[in-house]
Amino acid sequence: MAREELTRLTGNGNGTCGEDDCPNVYRTASGSIVVQGDVSDAFTPPQGEGLVEIPESVFREAGRALGW
């Protein structure tokens, strides 16, 4: 899936994280959520899954964008 196929819920696209504009939260066409952030090593997730860390402010911004 290309980033262009996702709906950005956070961030202003100004590239504040190098060229990838992270951390960020996106919504897929099917309604699921994709999170871009720093890789976390808080615990080892099951195979095929990963952990990312995002600031609380980014999570709150995504919630507002979704009307939560």
Side-chain angles (χ1 to χ4, degrees), residues 13-41:
N14 67 359
T16 59
C17 181
E19 302 198 14
D20 292 328
D21 195 30
C22 61
N24 226 324
V25 179
Y26 301 87
R27 189 174 209 175
T28 68
S30 65
S32 63
I33 303 295
V34 176
V35 178
Q36 177 185 357
D38 293 328
V39 175
S40 174
D41 61 0

